[in-house]
Amino acid sequence: MTDAAPAPAPLMIKEVLETLPHRYPFVLVDRVLSVENGEVHALKNVTIGEPFFAGHFPQEPVMPGVLITEALAQASMFCLHGEMPAGTVGYLAGVEGARFRRKVVPGDQLHLYARLEFLRRGLGKTVCRAEVDGEVAAEATILFAVAK
């Protein structure tokens, strides 16, 4: 019988805000559930109070795909959690193969998954997907640059 190491505690919003430079209304990660070996599982709670729902679309609120992509990019930065010096910021450099498979609406919990493919000379790449209730809502490859 072996004693398994306890799973690390999730990163709550305070730690999220210490890592990401984003602030309301643009911080799109509420909690990081796990970070291990360059893989991240984060969470975005989608609520009717989101400012973009007032105009997208009033009769049928749908989270814009560009903001789902941004949430995936923000989650990607946690692939480097604990490895980047303080004050380092990740900048979106590209999006490849973005596909949107289902609507994301108020009340959904958007589970964000990112896996670091590489980081070399300040340029990185993550393979990402967003899920709601176990169903893929979006997927993309995110390219980023890190700098101070």
Side-chain angles (χ1 to χ4, degrees):
M1 179 182 239
T2 60
D3 291 325
L11 301 175
M12 306 304 275
I13 192 64
K14 182 179 177 193
E15 291 90 2
V16 168
L17 293 173
E18 288 170 359
T19 300
L20 294 177
H22 307 80
R23 293 299 177 262
Y24 178 84
F26 227 70
V27 64
L28 297 173
V29 173
D30 292 322
R31 181 177 294 177
V32 177
L33 300 175
S34 66
V35 177
E36 189 173 7
N37 299 324
E39 294 191 23
V40 170
H41 177 194
L43 184 66
K44 165 67 179 151
N45 293 307
V46 182
T47 69
I48 193 63
E50 307 283 353
F52 50 81
F53 283 135
H56 198 266
F57 302 102
Q59 292 76 28
E60 183 185 2
V62 175
M63 186 173 184
V66 68
L67 293 181
I68 297 169
T69 304
E70 175 64 23
L72 289 168
Q74 289 181 23
S76 291
M77 290 300 92
F78 290 93
C79 290
L80 307 172
H81 186 68
E83 296 179 24
M84 292 193 321
T88 303
V89 177
Y91 295 97
L92 184 63
V95 178
E96 296 176 346
R99 297 287 180 267
F100 303 95
R101 310 269 183 217
R102 81 180 291 285
K103 293 182 209 173
V104 176
V105 299
D108 284 344
Q109 280 196 322
L110 194 58
H111 288 263
L112 308 165
Y113 297 92
R115 184 182 77 248
L116 183 65
E117 288 289 301
F118 71 81
L119 177 64
R120 289 189 286 277
R121 292 187 285 226
L123 297 174
K125 177 179 177 179
T126 55
V127 174
C128 307
R129 77 181 183 283
E131 295 181 358
V132 175
D133 297 329
E135 185 180 346
V136 175
E139 51 198 350
T141 299
I142 304 288
L143 306 170
F144 61 91
V146 290
K148 281 215 169 239

